[in-house]
């Protein structure tokens, strides 16, 4: 007997020691998973010219956005940033060109955008690789991380590629405009630039936060091919096919969405840490994490080189299952194998269970109780998690999706998953015993791995690998005829450790990625991952009553303490403020004016409420408002209303065709025309650009109204063509908006507390008017 076996198996009550060992192992894996999810250290500026240096990229980022000025598409500040991008490319030895054009998104937003493009010629004539990031920001923030860091990474990579041997295929650099307005620069490049036809693979860099690892979260359809290249080339991977599987089901887009639609393969990178800075004034140079910038380059440079030196023509469109192991290497296999592996694991475990029951090593009733305890544990976890989230919400602790102090909140739901597993397993341990709980747990895992491998193969590894380890490690123990208990900690602890190794890392990302709406999901997944603890808890039957009480009581107490701390922590801080926009709205028809405040939490910050007599309404003064807003009367300011002038109309069958001019008479940078629900507007063209019909989800967002928007409104206005049913009068709205408030709004802005900030478009001045379209 080894020293470890002596420690684990000897004595009257080895159960406590086994459980402590399991918890120590889980703690170590948790630490390694957390550390493995952190970006690497910054490479200094004196690194060889062939390497990506985060310090050099940081200097570029400072030159690009160090002034801290927001630079939305069409603004003079955006022109200045574009000039700096061009200068950096010229310094690196390139001949950058500007592609200018008018582009529209599927959401009805259009703009004149200016892309910066350059290329590094390969040694062969043929397909090319695209490296992309966007340089525009939202109106509310300077965009240092979204996507200034991506641009700085692209520019540093472009410099490094000049110092490296020329790759086989050409590399095209696209630093595009209008991403925040609707991926407009990417659309313009794909649809109109002659180089776009050469591209077969793209690497895109973006952000949804100011820190964290550079996650490879999306690929093209040739998943297996590109993941194989990524695994071979990237030294500090941060990825999972779970991200890829989930992202396909989310209503989120980046420029890579446009590239995928164009048939490009490739990789999409983004960081999601400290989402409180995203699209706010806090997305500045000071908050941009240098290690994140280093990680972008450490990911993108070798990925671009691997793609540019590979066979780009017609890669096989097969998908892979993949994940990183503590940020050190990428594990992958073809997704098609997951189903076969899941069947093999299920058959292996069923064989062991049947053998144990047939050889009378396991009572059928014990196995049934083991199955039942797994179901009870998961059902109890989800019910209690929903109740816990409700209890924490009642005092207003989580009024928004991401709060300023999430650690106790997330810890409460991790601990809840652990607590339920412990309590339920102890409740069933007397009747089920060690092997009843072991077989019950792994029978469910094997069945679950088959279902997930069938429905969502990208997520299958989290259950498939631990189930496979359990089946293999359990063989010599389940087939024994004698000495049945000695060493039984092995088939319990090893698969448990495996479940933690593959499962903890993605669960650590859940809150950061999806927020408190998914807190119950965190508890549920943690409970699933920890159900292999159940057999070890059966061993506590042989311990003292104090040990049994501690085994159940400690996790309960820790959960209660964490939940209490989550409930009393402030939801907002100066470093993680609430999103609160203030608008000035003027009705161009009646002259009525109002101040509008949009607190993300739905609760008016007290200092703003004191500054003026606001009252809450369920929707705003315009009919497409779908959320609560606080209103108060505003001063009349002489602002010219936008115009929507019918230039020409004619009846064609059952439809009337219109040609109209939308113009901001006060020179606002953005203006829109909105058609009411069921107006049946069709065949819309803006400046000759045909627009596709808006989806139902977009219409629901605007309460059924249909908006056509231009965010780079020229002084002459824009021409819009459209069809409406003949004989039907329609009243539309013409709306323009400018960024910032009139001088009369300064008292309100000064009253906004440090724990609140503007977001996205920020504070805006809006003028609207109604226009009747007669049949």
């Amino acid at each position: 007997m080894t020293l470890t076996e002596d420690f684990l198996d000897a004595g009257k009550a080895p159960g406590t020691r086994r459980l402590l060992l399991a918890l120590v192992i889980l703690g170590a894996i948790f630490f390694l998973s957390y550390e493995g999810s952190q970006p690497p250290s910054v490479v200094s500026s004196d690194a060889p010219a062939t390497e990506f240096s985060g310090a050099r990229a940081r200097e570029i980022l400072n030159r690009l956005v160090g002034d801290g000025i927001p630079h939305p598409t069409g603004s003079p500040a955006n022109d200045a940033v574009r000039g700096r991008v061009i200068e950096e490319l010229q310094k690196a030895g390139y001949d950058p060109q500007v592609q200018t054009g008018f582009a529209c998104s599927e959401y009805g937003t259009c703009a004149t955008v200016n892309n910066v493009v350059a290329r590094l010629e390969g040694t062969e004539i043929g397909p090319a690789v695209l490296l992309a990031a966007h340089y525009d920001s939202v109106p509310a923030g300077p965009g240092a991380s979204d996507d200034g860091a991506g641009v700085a990474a692209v520019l540093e990579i472009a410099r490094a590629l000049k110092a490296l041997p020329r790759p086989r295929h050409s590399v095209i650099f696209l630093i595009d405009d209008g991403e925040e307005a609707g991926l407009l620069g990417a659309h313009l490049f794909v649809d109109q630039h002659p180089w776009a036809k050469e591209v077969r693979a793209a690497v895109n860099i973006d952000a949804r936060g100011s820190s964290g690892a550079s996650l490879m979260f999306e690929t093209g359809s040739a998943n297996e091919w590109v993941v194989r290249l990524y695994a071979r080339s990237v030294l500090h991977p941060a990825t999972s096919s779970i991200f890829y599987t989930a992202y396909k089901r989310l209503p989120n887009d980046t420029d890579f969405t446009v590239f995928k639609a164009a048939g490009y393969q490739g990789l999409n990178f983004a960081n999601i840490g400290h989402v409180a800075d995203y699209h706010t004034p806090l997305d500045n140079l000071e908050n941009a994490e240098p290690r994140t910038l280093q990680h972008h380059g450490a990911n993108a440079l070798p990925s671009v080189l691997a793609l540019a030196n590979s066979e780009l023509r017609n890669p096989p469109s097969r998908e892979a299952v993949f994940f990183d192991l503590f940020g050190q290497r990428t594990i992958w296999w073809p997704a098609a194998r997951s189903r076969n592996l899941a069947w093999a694991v299920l058959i292996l475990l069923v064989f062991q269970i049947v053998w144990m029951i047939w050889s009378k090593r396991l009572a059928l009733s014990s196995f049934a109780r083991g199955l039942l305890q797994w179901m009870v544990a998961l059902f109890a976890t989800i019910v209690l998690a929903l109740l816990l989230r409700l209890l924490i919400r009642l005092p207003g602790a989580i009024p928004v999706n991401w709060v300023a102090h999430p650690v106790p909140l997330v810890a409460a739901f991790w601990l809840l998953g652990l607590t339920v597993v412990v309590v339920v397993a102890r409740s069933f341990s007397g009747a089920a015993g060690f092997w009843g709980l072991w077989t019950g747990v792994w029978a469910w895992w094997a069945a679950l791995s088959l279902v997930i491998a069938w429905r969502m193969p990208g997520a299958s590894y989290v259950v498939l690998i631990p189930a496979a380890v359990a089946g293999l490690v359990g063989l010599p123990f389940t087939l024994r005829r004698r000495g049945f208990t000695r060493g039984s900690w092995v088939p319990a602890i090893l698969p448990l450790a495996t479940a933690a190794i593959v499962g903890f890392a993605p669960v650590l990302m859940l809150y950061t990625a999806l927020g408190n709406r998914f807190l119950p999901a965190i508890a549920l997944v943690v409970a699933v991952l920890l159900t292999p603890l159940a057999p070890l808890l059966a061993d506590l039957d042989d311990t003292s009553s104090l040990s049994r009480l501690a085994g159940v009581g400690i996790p309960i107490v820790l959960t209660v303490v964490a939940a209490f701390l989550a409930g009393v922590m402030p939801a907002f801080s100066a470093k993680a403020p609430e999103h609160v926009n203030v608008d000035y709205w003027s009705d161009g028809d009646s002259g009525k004016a109002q101040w509008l405040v949009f607190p993300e939490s739905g609760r008016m910050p007290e200092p703003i409420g004191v500054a003026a007599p606001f009252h809450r309404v369920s929707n705003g003064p315009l009919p497409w408002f779908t959320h609560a807003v606080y209103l108060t009367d505003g001063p009349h300011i002489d602002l010219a209303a936008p115009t929507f002038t019918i230039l020409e109309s004619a009846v064609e069958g059952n439809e009337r065709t219109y040609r109209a001019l939308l113009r901001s008479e006060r020179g606002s940078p953005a203006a829109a025309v909105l058609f009411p629900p069921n107006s049946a507007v069709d065949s819309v063209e803006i400046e000759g650009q045909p627009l596709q019909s808006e989806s139902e989800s977009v219409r629901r967002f605007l309460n059924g109204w249909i908006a056509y928007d231009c965010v780079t409104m020229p002084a002459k206005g824009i021409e819009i063509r459209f069809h409406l049913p003949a004989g039907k009068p329609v009243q539309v709205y013409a709306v323009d908006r400018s960024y910032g408030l009139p001088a009369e709004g300064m008292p309100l802005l000064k009253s906004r507390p440090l724990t609140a900030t503007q977001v996205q478009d920020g504070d805006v001045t809006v003028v609207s008017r109604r226009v009747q379209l007669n049949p």
Side-chain angles (χ1 to χ4, degrees):
M1 182 181 294
T2 66
L3 192 61
T4 302
E5 288 175 322
D6 182 63
F7 172 75
L8 292 168
D9 290 328
K12 284 187 176 181
T16 302
R17 292 191 292 274
R18 295 173 184 170
L19 184 60
L20 287 175
L21 176 65
L23 293 176
V24 168
I25 291 173
L26 290 175
I29 293 170
F30 183 92
F31 174 78
L32 290 172
S33 299
Y34 175 79
E35 284 297 308
S37 69
Q38 302 306 300
S41 299
V42 176
V43 175
S44 67
S45 57
D46 59 0
T50 55
E51 293 184 21
F52 182 94
S53 164
R56 285 192 291 251
R58 178 78 176 186
E59 293 169 3
I60 295 172
L61 180 61
N62 184 30
R63 291 193 290 270
L64 292 178
V65 298
D67 57 13
I69 300 174
H71 48 282
T73 297
S75 66
N78 206 39
D79 296 339
V81 173
R82 181 171 63 255
R84 296 165 197 156
V85 169
I86 293 170
E87 184 179 346
E88 294 291 336
L89 284 169
Q90 290 172 335
K91 282 165 53 179
Y94 292 90
D95 180 24
Q97 306 296 322
V98 177
Q99 178 198 17
T100 301
F102 192 78
C104 298
S105 76
E106 61 181 304
Y107 302 106
T109 299
C110 302
T112 299
V113 293
N114 297 276
N115 295 334
V116 180
V117 292
R119 69 184 291 154
L120 176 72
E121 295 292 349
T123 59
E124 295 182 8
I125 296 174
V129 174
L130 182 72
L131 176 60
H134 71 89
Y135 70 90
D136 62 304
S137 76
V138 295
S145 291
D146 180 25
D147 191 25
V151 174
V154 169
L155 293 171
E156 168 65 4
I157 289 169
R159 182 211 55 77
L161 287 174
K162 279 287 188 179
L164 287 162
R166 277 201 300 160
R168 175 183 172 187
H169 300 294
S170 297
V171 177
I172 297 170
F173 305 97
L174 170 64
I175 301 176
D176 63 55
D177 190 10
E179 193 271 354
E180 301 294 2
L183 319 179
L184 301 181
H187 280 293
L188 182 68
F189 175 81
V190 165
D191 295 339
Q192 301 184 30
H193 202 286
W195 291 351
K197 296 181 177 65
E198 302 176 37
V199 177
R200 294 293 180 272
V203 173
N204 186 63
I205 306 174
D206 211 329
R208 201 213 59 188
S210 60
S211 65
S214 178
L215 303 174
M216 195 281 279
F217 68 98
E218 188 181 16
T219 69
S221 59
N223 190 301
E224 179 186 326
W225 168 75
V226 78
V227 167
R228 182 172 68 249
L229 294 175
Y230 173 83
R232 290 175 181 173
S233 58
V234 173
L235 297 179
H236 300 287
T239 190
S240 170
S241 48
I242 293 177
F243 307 155
Y244 170 70
T245 300
Y247 193 76
K248 288 192 292 186
R249 291 163 170 79
L250 294 174
N252 299 60
D253 292 309
T254 66
D255 283 336
F256 196 75
T257 305
V258 179
F259 303 148
K260 284 179 69 172
Y264 301 171
Q265 302 301 330
L267 302 163
N268 199 7
F269 296 99
N271 59 287
I272 60 174
H274 210 242
V275 70
D277 295 341
Y278 180 59
H279 284 182
T280 74
L282 295 176
D283 184 10
N284 54 33
L285 185 66
E286 180 183 356
N287 290 329
E289 172 57 52
R291 292 196 304 162
T292 297
L293 179 53
Q294 176 65 47
H295 204 193
H296 279 322
N299 273 329
L301 175 56
S303 296
V304 167
L305 284 171
L307 289 166
N309 288 304
S310 68
E311 178 52 61
L312 290 176
R313 294 177 178 86
N314 301 317
S317 293
R318 296 192 297 264
E319 293 197 348
V321 175
F322 56 93
F323 61 97
D324 72 272
L325 187 62
F326 300 137
Q328 298 302 306
R329 63 173 302 169
T330 303
I331 310 296
W332 71 274
W333 65 81
R337 292 183 186 172
S338 287
R339 205 176 302 168
N340 294 334
L341 290 172
W343 274 115
V345 169
L346 181 62
I347 291 169
L348 178 62
L349 283 164
V350 167
F351 165 73
Q352 293 176 70
I353 294 167
V354 171
W355 167 258
M356 293 174 71
I357 294 173
W358 180 79
S359 61
K360 303 191 184 306
R361 304 302 183 194
L362 175 68
L364 186 59
S365 60
S366 297
F367 173 58
R369 290 185 175 92
L371 291 173
L372 181 61
Q373 74 84 29
W374 195 89
M375 295 175 62
V376 170
L378 299 194
F379 178 77
T381 298
I382 195 64
V383 170
L384 291 174
L386 290 170
L387 287 174
L388 178 61
R389 184 172 177 270
L390 178 63
L391 287 173
I392 296 175
R393 288 187 66 180
L394 285 177
I398 47 175
V400 295
N401 205 30
W402 288 277
V403 294
H405 307 285
V407 172
L409 181 65
V410 176
F413 286 85
W414 273 75
L415 289 166
L416 178 64
L418 170 64
T419 299
V420 174
V421 168
V422 169
V423 172
V424 173
R426 288 294 304 137
S427 301
F428 280 81
S429 62
F434 180 97
W435 289 105
L437 294 175
W438 190 93
T439 54
V441 164
W442 292 111
W444 276 114
W445 274 70
L448 189 61
S449 69
L450 184 60
V451 171
I452 296 178
W454 185 276
R455 302 296 299 175
M456 292 188 298
S460 62
Y461 73 88
V462 174
V463 287
L464 180 54
I465 295 177
V469 170
L472 293 171
V473 174
L475 267 176
F477 297 91
T478 56
L479 299 184
R480 283 183 184 178
R481 291 185 177 274
R482 292 182 175 83
F484 201 61
T485 59
R486 174 165 291 180
S488 59
W489 60 273
V490 176
I493 291 181
L494 289 187
L496 170 66
T498 306
I501 289 170
V502 298
F504 278 5
V507 181
L508 281 168
M509 294 281 183
L510 262 179
Y511 177 82
T512 304
L514 301 171
N516 73 56
R517 297 187 188 97
F518 282 77
L519 287 169
I522 291 174
L524 180 62
V525 177
V526 168
V528 172
L529 294 174
L530 295 183
T531 50
L533 264 177
L536 294 171
L537 291 160
D539 288 342
L540 291 181
D541 290 338
D542 298 327
T543 63
S544 67
S545 57
L546 182 60
S547 296
R548 292 195 295 273
L549 180 63
V552 174
I554 290 176
I556 293 175
V557 170
L558 291 175
T559 302
V560 171
V561 170
F564 172 78
L565 291 175
V568 299
M569 284 287 187
F572 309 112
S573 69
K575 291 185 176 181
E578 180 182 7
H579 298 158
V580 181
N581 283 348
V582 181
D583 289 3
Y584 174 82
W585 169 67
S586 173
D587 185 340
D589 298 312
S590 66
K592 178 182 179 181
Q594 289 184 314
W595 299 110
L596 289 71
V597 178
F598 302 89
E600 184 185 9
S601 66
R603 304 170 187 168
M604 172 68 82
E606 185 177 350
I608 302 178
V610 171
F614 284 94
H615 64 279
R616 189 177 188 271
V617 295
S618 58
N619 47 52
L622 296 168
W624 51 87
F625 278 69
T626 59
H627 46 274
V629 61
Y630 288 84
L631 302 175
T632 192
D633 290 337
H636 174 74
I637 303 172
D638 190 17
L639 298 175
T643 56
F644 189 64
T645 306
I646 303 301
L647 304 177
E648 182 182 353
S649 72
V651 175
E652 299 177 0
N654 295 324
E655 291 186 325
R656 179 175 287 274
T657 303
Y658 292 87
R659 184 169 67 90
L661 183 71
L662 175 65
R663 187 169 182 267
S664 173
E665 300 297 332
R666 63 189 183 97
S668 294
V673 58
L674 292 101
F675 292 82
N678 304 317
S679 61
V681 61
D682 193 17
S683 303
V684 179
E685 293 183 11
I686 299 182
E687 292 292 294
Q689 179 90 21
L691 273 67
Q692 65 186 70
S693 299
E694 292 185 325
S695 65
E696 285 302 316
S697 61
V698 174
R699 297 187 185 199
R700 284 196 299 271
F701 180 74
L702 292 174
N703 201 24
W705 284 72
I706 306 163
Y708 298 101
D709 191 13
C710 180
V711 298
T712 56
M713 180 62 63
K716 67 179 180 62
I718 59 168
E719 188 173 299
I720 304 177
R721 294 175 180 265
F722 55 94
H723 292 176
L724 287 172
K728 178 181 178 181
V730 174
Q731 187 178 79
V732 301
Y733 275 81
V735 179
D736 69 10
R737 63 187 184 278
S738 53
Y739 306 119
L741 300 182
E744 291 82 350
M746 285 305 298
L748 286 177
L749 295 183
K750 289 180 178 179
S751 71
R752 183 160 50 198
L754 292 176
T755 54
T757 189
Q758 56 183 312
V759 68
Q760 202 71 32
D761 281 356
D763 306 323
V764 296
T765 298
V766 178
V767 183
S768 68
R769 71 177 304 172
R770 292 179 293 277
V771 178
Q772 184 74 27
L773 302 180
N774 296 314

